[in-house]
PDB file of all heavy atoms in Angstrom:
ATOM      1  N   PHE Z 465      59.689 -46.266 -42.921  1.00  0.00           N
ATOM      2  CA  PHE Z 465      58.777 -46.351 -41.770  1.00  0.00           C
ATOM      3  C   PHE Z 465      59.410 -47.247 -40.696  1.00  0.00           C
ATOM      4  O   PHE Z 465      59.149 -48.444 -40.658  1.00  0.00           O
ATOM      5  CB  PHE Z 465      57.427 -46.966 -42.205  1.00  0.00           C
ATOM      6  CG  PHE Z 465      56.699 -46.137 -43.252  1.00  0.00           C
ATOM      7  CD1 PHE Z 465      56.541 -46.631 -44.537  1.00  0.00           C
ATOM      8  CD2 PHE Z 465      56.230 -44.905 -42.937  1.00  0.00           C
ATOM      9  CE1 PHE Z 465      55.883 -45.869 -45.490  1.00  0.00           C
ATOM     10  CE2 PHE Z 465      55.562 -44.135 -43.894  1.00  0.00           C
ATOM     11  CZ  PHE Z 465      55.390 -44.623 -45.176  1.00  0.00           C
ATOM     12  N   PRO Z 466      60.283 -46.666 -39.844  1.00  0.00           N
ATOM     13  CA  PRO Z 466      60.929 -47.477 -38.794  1.00  0.00           C
ATOM     14  C   PRO Z 466      59.912 -48.082 -37.857  1.00  0.00           C
ATOM     15  O   PRO Z 466      58.898 -47.475 -37.568  1.00  0.00           O
ATOM     16  CB  PRO Z 466      61.834 -46.460 -38.056  1.00  0.00           C
ATOM     17  CG  PRO Z 466      61.881 -45.267 -38.934  1.00  0.00           C
ATOM     18  CD  PRO Z 466      60.612 -45.261 -39.737  1.00  0.00           C
ATOM     19  N   PHE Z 467      60.188 -49.332 -37.402  1.00  0.00           N
ATOM     20  CA  PHE Z 467      59.298 -49.996 -36.453  1.00  0.00           C
ATOM     21  C   PHE Z 467      59.233 -49.190 -35.150  1.00  0.00           C
ATOM     22  O   PHE Z 467      60.236 -48.802 -34.582  1.00  0.00           O
ATOM     23  CB  PHE Z 467      59.829 -51.408 -36.169  1.00  0.00           C
ATOM     24  CG  PHE Z 467      59.078 -52.155 -35.102  1.00  0.00           C
ATOM     25  CD1 PHE Z 467      57.700 -52.318 -35.180  1.00  0.00           C
ATOM     26  CD2 PHE Z 467      59.725 -52.669 -33.987  1.00  0.00           C
ATOM     27  CE1 PHE Z 467      56.999 -52.983 -34.201  1.00  0.00           C
ATOM     28  CE2 PHE Z 467      59.043 -53.346 -33.002  1.00  0.00           C
ATOM     29  CZ  PHE Z 467      57.674 -53.504 -33.098  1.00  0.00           C
ATOM     30  N   ASN Z 468      57.989 -48.932 -34.724  1.00  0.00           N
ATOM     31  CA  ASN Z 468      57.757 -48.070 -33.551  1.00  0.00           C
ATOM     32  C   ASN Z 468      56.728 -48.743 -32.629  1.00  0.00           C
ATOM     33  O   ASN Z 468      55.533 -48.445 -32.731  1.00  0.00           O
ATOM     34  CB  ASN Z 468      57.294 -46.685 -33.998  1.00  0.00           C
ATOM     35  CG  ASN Z 468      57.261 -45.696 -32.864  1.00  0.00           C
ATOM     36  OD1 ASN Z 468      57.606 -45.993 -31.728  1.00  0.00           O
ATOM     37  ND2 ASN Z 468      56.792 -44.469 -33.160  1.00  0.00           N
ATOM     38  N   PRO Z 469      57.162 -49.647 -31.743  1.00  0.00           N
ATOM     39  CA  PRO Z 469      56.193 -50.350 -30.884  1.00  0.00           C
ATOM     40  C   PRO Z 469      55.479 -49.396 -29.922  1.00  0.00           C
ATOM     41  O   PRO Z 469      56.011 -48.361 -29.551  1.00  0.00           O
ATOM     42  CB  PRO Z 469      57.052 -51.356 -30.127  1.00  0.00           C
ATOM     43  CG  PRO Z 469      58.420 -50.773 -30.134  1.00  0.00           C
ATOM     44  CD  PRO Z 469      58.557 -50.002 -31.404  1.00  0.00           C
ATOM     45  N   SER Z 470      54.257 -49.790 -29.541  1.00  0.00           N
ATOM     46  CA  SER Z 470      53.457 -48.977 -28.606  1.00  0.00           C
ATOM     47  C   SER Z 470      53.509 -49.566 -27.205  1.00  0.00           C
ATOM     48  O   SER Z 470      53.582 -50.775 -27.047  1.00  0.00           O
ATOM     49  CB  SER Z 470      52.009 -48.928 -29.105  1.00  0.00           C
ATOM     50  OG  SER Z 470      51.171 -48.371 -28.128  1.00  0.00           O
ATOM     51  N   ALA Z 471      53.470 -48.689 -26.211  1.00  0.00           N
ATOM     52  CA  ALA Z 471      53.456 -49.158 -24.823  1.00  0.00           C
ATOM     53  C   ALA Z 471      52.040 -49.478 -24.321  1.00  0.00           C
ATOM     54  O   ALA Z 471      51.863 -50.010 -23.244  1.00  0.00           O
ATOM     55  CB  ALA Z 471      54.074 -48.081 -23.941  1.00  0.00           C
ATOM     56  N   ILE Z 472      51.036 -49.179 -25.161  1.00  0.00           N
ATOM     57  CA  ILE Z 472      49.645 -49.394 -24.778  1.00  0.00           C
ATOM     58  C   ILE Z 472      49.300 -50.890 -24.839  1.00  0.00           C
ATOM     59  O   ILE Z 472      49.646 -51.561 -25.822  1.00  0.00           O
ATOM     60  CB  ILE Z 472      48.701 -48.599 -25.706  1.00  0.00           C
ATOM     61  CG1 ILE Z 472      48.905 -47.096 -25.475  1.00  0.00           C
ATOM     62  CG2 ILE Z 472      47.253 -48.948 -25.477  1.00  0.00           C
ATOM     63  CD1 ILE Z 472      48.254 -46.207 -26.515  1.00  0.00           C
ATOM     64  N   THR Z 473      48.626 -51.395 -23.831  1.00  0.00           N
ATOM     65  CA  THR Z 473      48.142 -52.783 -23.854  1.00  0.00           C
ATOM     66  C   THR Z 473      46.717 -52.803 -24.367  1.00  0.00           C
ATOM     67  O   THR Z 473      45.938 -51.863 -24.091  1.00  0.00           O
ATOM     68  CB  THR Z 473      48.205 -53.436 -22.457  1.00  0.00           C
ATOM     69  OG1 THR Z 473      47.479 -52.616 -21.556  1.00  0.00           O
ATOM     70  CG2 THR Z 473      49.642 -53.586 -21.960  1.00  0.00           C
ATOM     71  N   MET Z 474      46.350 -53.874 -25.099  1.00  0.00           N
ATOM     72  CA  MET Z 474      45.060 -53.916 -25.740  1.00  0.00           C
ATOM     73  C   MET Z 474      43.896 -53.920 -24.741  1.00  0.00           C
ATOM     74  O   MET Z 474      42.818 -53.392 -25.049  1.00  0.00           O
ATOM     75  CB  MET Z 474      44.976 -55.164 -26.645  1.00  0.00           C
ATOM     76  CG  MET Z 474      45.918 -55.133 -27.805  1.00  0.00           C
ATOM     77  SD  MET Z 474      45.618 -53.720 -28.876  1.00  0.00           S
ATOM     78  CE  MET Z 474      47.249 -53.472 -29.579  1.00  0.00           C
ATOM     79  N   ASP Z 475      44.118 -54.481 -23.565  1.00  0.00           N
ATOM     80  CA  ASP Z 475      43.017 -54.572 -22.590  1.00  0.00           C
ATOM     81  C   ASP Z 475      42.728 -53.215 -21.904  1.00  0.00           C
ATOM     82  O   ASP Z 475      41.768 -53.092 -21.155  1.00  0.00           O
ATOM     83  CB  ASP Z 475      43.274 -55.633 -21.520  1.00  0.00           C
ATOM     84  CG  ASP Z 475      44.620 -55.461 -20.819  1.00  0.00           C
ATOM     85  OD1 ASP Z 475      45.323 -54.488 -21.172  1.00  0.00           O
ATOM     86  OD2 ASP Z 475      44.961 -56.265 -19.932  1.00  0.00           O
ATOM     87  N   SER Z 476      43.572 -52.222 -22.190  1.00  0.00           N
ATOM     88  CA  SER Z 476      43.325 -50.863 -21.599  1.00  0.00           C
ATOM     89  C   SER Z 476      42.575 -49.958 -22.567  1.00  0.00           C
ATOM     90  O   SER Z 476      42.250 -48.826 -22.236  1.00  0.00           O
ATOM     91  CB  SER Z 476      44.672 -50.221 -21.247  1.00  0.00           C
ATOM     92  OG  SER Z 476      45.419 -49.940 -22.428  1.00  0.00           O
ATOM     93  N   ILE Z 477      42.280 -50.461 -23.782  1.00  0.00           N
ATOM     94  CA  ILE Z 477      41.605 -49.627 -24.785  1.00  0.00           C
ATOM     95  C   ILE Z 477      40.102 -49.566 -24.467  1.00  0.00           C
ATOM     96  O   ILE Z 477      39.450 -50.589 -24.243  1.00  0.00           O
ATOM     97  CB  ILE Z 477      41.795 -50.235 -26.193  1.00  0.00           C
ATOM     98  CG1 ILE Z 477      43.297 -50.300 -26.555  1.00  0.00           C
ATOM     99  CG2 ILE Z 477      41.029 -49.416 -27.228  1.00  0.00           C
ATOM    100  CD1 ILE Z 477      43.926 -49.019 -26.961  1.00  0.00           C
ATOM    101  N   HIS Z 478      39.539 -48.342 -24.486  1.00  0.00           N
ATOM    102  CA  HIS Z 478      38.100 -48.133 -24.288  1.00  0.00           C
ATOM    103  C   HIS Z 478      37.466 -47.720 -25.637  1.00  0.00           C
ATOM    104  O   HIS Z 478      38.099 -46.970 -26.408  1.00  0.00           O
ATOM    105  CB  HIS Z 478      37.825 -47.027 -23.272  1.00  0.00           C
ATOM    106  CG  HIS Z 478      38.222 -47.447 -21.882  1.00  0.00           C
ATOM    107  ND1 HIS Z 478      37.493 -48.352 -21.126  1.00  0.00           N
ATOM    108  CD2 HIS Z 478      39.258 -47.078 -21.101  1.00  0.00           C
ATOM    109  CE1 HIS Z 478      38.078 -48.514 -19.944  1.00  0.00           C
ATOM    110  NE2 HIS Z 478      39.153 -47.753 -19.908  1.00  0.00           N
ATOM    111  N   LEU Z 479      36.272 -48.178 -25.873  1.00  0.00           N
ATOM    112  CA  LEU Z 479      35.562 -47.813 -27.112  1.00  0.00           C
ATOM    113  C   LEU Z 479      34.528 -46.729 -26.811  1.00  0.00           C
ATOM    114  O   LEU Z 479      33.545 -46.993 -26.106  1.00  0.00           O
ATOM    115  CB  LEU Z 479      34.828 -49.044 -27.673  1.00  0.00           C
ATOM    116  CG  LEU Z 479      35.623 -49.997 -28.562  1.00  0.00           C
ATOM    117  CD1 LEU Z 479      36.739 -50.661 -27.781  1.00  0.00           C
ATOM    118  CD2 LEU Z 479      34.721 -51.040 -29.172  1.00  0.00           C
ATOM    119  N   PRO Z 480      34.741 -45.495 -27.281  1.00  0.00           N
ATOM    120  CA  PRO Z 480      33.758 -44.427 -27.015  1.00  0.00           C
ATOM    121  C   PRO Z 480      32.425 -44.704 -27.721  1.00  0.00           C
ATOM    122  O   PRO Z 480      32.406 -45.250 -28.819  1.00  0.00           O
ATOM    123  CB  PRO Z 480      34.436 -43.171 -27.578  1.00  0.00           C
ATOM    124  CG  PRO Z 480      35.501 -43.643 -28.485  1.00  0.00           C
ATOM    125  CD  PRO Z 480      35.890 -45.016 -28.056  1.00  0.00           C
ATOM    126  N   ALA Z 481      31.339 -44.307 -27.083  1.00  0.00           N
ATOM    127  CA  ALA Z 481      29.999 -44.542 -27.627  1.00  0.00           C
ATOM    128  C   ALA Z 481      29.817 -43.838 -28.969  1.00  0.00           C
ATOM    129  O   ALA Z 481      29.036 -44.305 -29.799  1.00  0.00           O
ATOM    130  CB  ALA Z 481      28.962 -44.054 -26.635  1.00  0.00           C
ATOM    131  N   SER Z 482      30.565 -42.755 -29.181  1.00  0.00           N
ATOM    132  CA  SER Z 482      30.408 -41.952 -30.417  1.00  0.00           C
ATOM    133  C   SER Z 482      30.768 -42.742 -31.683  1.00  0.00           C
ATOM    134  O   SER Z 482      30.373 -42.369 -32.763  1.00  0.00           O
ATOM    135  CB  SER Z 482      31.256 -40.691 -30.348  1.00  0.00           C
ATOM    136  OG  SER Z 482      32.623 -41.041 -30.152  1.00  0.00           O
ATOM    137  N   LEU Z 483      31.507 -43.839 -31.539  1.00  0.00           N
ATOM    138  CA  LEU Z 483      31.916 -44.633 -32.705  1.00  0.00           C
ATOM    139  C   LEU Z 483      30.815 -45.592 -33.174  1.00  0.00           C
ATOM    140  O   LEU Z 483      30.925 -46.210 -34.229  1.00  0.00           O
ATOM    141  CB  LEU Z 483      33.183 -45.448 -32.375  1.00  0.00           C
ATOM    142  CG  LEU Z 483      34.483 -44.634 -32.249  1.00  0.00           C
ATOM    143  CD1 LEU Z 483      35.649 -45.544 -31.945  1.00  0.00           C
ATOM    144  CD2 LEU Z 483      34.782 -43.805 -33.479  1.00  0.00           C
ATOM    145  N   ASN Z 484      29.757 -45.746 -32.353  1.00  0.00           N
ATOM    146  CA  ASN Z 484      28.641 -46.651 -32.718  1.00  0.00           C
ATOM    147  C   ASN Z 484      29.112 -48.073 -33.016  1.00  0.00           C
ATOM    148  O   ASN Z 484      28.740 -48.669 -34.043  1.00  0.00           O
ATOM    149  CB  ASN Z 484      27.849 -46.095 -33.912  1.00  0.00           C
ATOM    150  CG  ASN Z 484      27.230 -44.734 -33.598  1.00  0.00           C
ATOM    151  OD1 ASN Z 484      26.713 -44.533 -32.537  1.00  0.00           O
ATOM    152  ND2 ASN Z 484      27.317 -43.826 -34.572  1.00  0.00           N
ATOM    153  N   LEU Z 485      29.948 -48.616 -32.144  1.00  0.00           N
ATOM    154  CA  LEU Z 485      30.470 -49.956 -32.317  1.00  0.00           C
ATOM    155  C   LEU Z 485      29.905 -50.915 -31.260  1.00  0.00           C
ATOM    156  O   LEU Z 485      30.595 -51.797 -30.763  1.00  0.00           O
ATOM    157  CB  LEU Z 485      32.017 -49.949 -32.255  1.00  0.00           C
ATOM    158  CG  LEU Z 485      32.735 -49.128 -33.289  1.00  0.00           C
ATOM    159  CD1 LEU Z 485      34.240 -49.099 -33.046  1.00  0.00           C
ATOM    160  CD2 LEU Z 485      32.475 -49.683 -34.709  1.00  0.00           C
ATOM    161  N   ASP Z 486      28.634 -50.700 -30.877  1.00  0.00           N
ATOM    162  CA  ASP Z 486      28.049 -51.510 -29.805  1.00  0.00           C
ATOM    163  C   ASP Z 486      27.830 -52.966 -30.215  1.00  0.00           C
ATOM    164  O   ASP Z 486      27.498 -53.795 -29.370  1.00  0.00           O
ATOM    165  CB  ASP Z 486      26.735 -50.902 -29.302  1.00  0.00           C
ATOM    166  CG  ASP Z 486      25.769 -50.589 -30.415  1.00  0.00           C
ATOM    167  OD1 ASP Z 486      26.231 -50.584 -31.596  1.00  0.00           O
ATOM    168  OD2 ASP Z 486      24.590 -50.328 -30.166  1.00  0.00           O
ATOM    169  N   PHE Z 487      28.023 -53.298 -31.512  1.00  0.00           N
ATOM    170  CA  PHE Z 487      27.904 -54.684 -31.948  1.00  0.00           C
ATOM    171  C   PHE Z 487      29.192 -55.487 -31.682  1.00  0.00           C
ATOM    172  O   PHE Z 487      29.252 -56.698 -31.934  1.00  0.00           O
ATOM    173  CB  PHE Z 487      27.545 -54.760 -33.454  1.00  0.00           C
ATOM    174  CG  PHE Z 487      28.489 -53.975 -34.330  1.00  0.00           C
ATOM    175  CD1 PHE Z 487      29.640 -54.549 -34.825  1.00  0.00           C
ATOM    176  CD2 PHE Z 487      28.216 -52.644 -34.669  1.00  0.00           C
ATOM    177  CE1 PHE Z 487      30.515 -53.853 -35.654  1.00  0.00           C
ATOM    178  CE2 PHE Z 487      29.080 -51.936 -35.460  1.00  0.00           C
ATOM    179  CZ  PHE Z 487      30.223 -52.542 -35.959  1.00  0.00           C
ATOM    180  N   LEU Z 488      30.254 -54.788 -31.279  1.00  0.00           N
ATOM    181  CA  LEU Z 488      31.540 -55.481 -30.946  1.00  0.00           C
ATOM    182  C   LEU Z 488      31.443 -55.992 -29.485  1.00  0.00           C
ATOM    183  O   LEU Z 488      31.069 -55.247 -28.582  1.00  0.00           O
ATOM    184  CB  LEU Z 488      32.747 -54.553 -31.066  1.00  0.00           C
ATOM    185  CG  LEU Z 488      33.085 -54.052 -32.485  1.00  0.00           C
ATOM    186  CD1 LEU Z 488      34.268 -53.116 -32.417  1.00  0.00           C
ATOM    187  CD2 LEU Z 488      33.402 -55.215 -33.400  1.00  0.00           C
ATOM    188  N   ASN Z 489      31.801 -57.231 -29.282  1.00  0.00           N
ATOM    189  CA  ASN Z 489      31.764 -57.833 -27.941  1.00  0.00           C
ATOM    190  C   ASN Z 489      33.205 -57.968 -27.385  1.00  0.00           C
ATOM    191  O   ASN Z 489      34.060 -58.522 -28.088  1.00  0.00           O
ATOM    192  CB  ASN Z 489      31.099 -59.223 -27.995  1.00  0.00           C
ATOM    193  CG  ASN Z 489      29.698 -59.133 -28.531  1.00  0.00           C
ATOM    194  OD1 ASN Z 489      28.979 -58.218 -28.202  1.00  0.00           O
ATOM    195  ND2 ASN Z 489      29.305 -60.099 -29.359  1.00  0.00           N
ATOM    196  N   LYS Z 490      33.418 -57.454 -26.214  1.00  0.00           N
ATOM    197  CA  LYS Z 490      34.743 -57.580 -25.596  1.00  0.00           C
ATOM    198  C   LYS Z 490      34.967 -59.026 -25.122  1.00  0.00           C
ATOM    199  O   LYS Z 490      34.091 -59.618 -24.512  1.00  0.00           O
ATOM    200  CB  LYS Z 490      34.872 -56.626 -24.392  1.00  0.00           C
ATOM    201  CG  LYS Z 490      34.978 -55.159 -24.822  1.00  0.00           C
ATOM    202  CD  LYS Z 490      35.242 -54.307 -23.639  1.00  0.00           C
ATOM    203  CE  LYS Z 490      35.549 -52.876 -24.098  1.00  0.00           C
ATOM    204  NZ  LYS Z 490      35.976 -52.001 -22.952  1.00  0.00           N
ATOM    205  N   VAL Z 491      36.141 -59.561 -25.412  1.00  0.00           N
ATOM    206  CA  VAL Z 491      36.481 -60.913 -25.008  1.00  0.00           C
ATOM    207  C   VAL Z 491      37.735 -60.868 -24.129  1.00  0.00           C
ATOM    208  O   VAL Z 491      38.685 -60.208 -24.490  1.00  0.00           O
ATOM    209  CB  VAL Z 491      36.730 -61.806 -26.250  1.00  0.00           C
ATOM    210  CG1 VAL Z 491      37.130 -63.203 -25.796  1.00  0.00           C
ATOM    211  CG2 VAL Z 491      35.494 -61.838 -27.114  1.00  0.00           C
TER     212      VAL Z 491
END
Side-chain angles (χ1 to χ4, degrees):
F465 300 112
F467 174 55
N468 188 2
S470 170
I472 294 169
T473 54
M474 294 300 153
D475 55 0
S476 67
I477 301 283
H478 291 287
L479 276 65
S482 58
L483 289 180
N484 298 320
L485 298 174
D486 50 347
F487 54 87
L488 292 178
N489 301 320
K490 288 186 172 186
V491 178

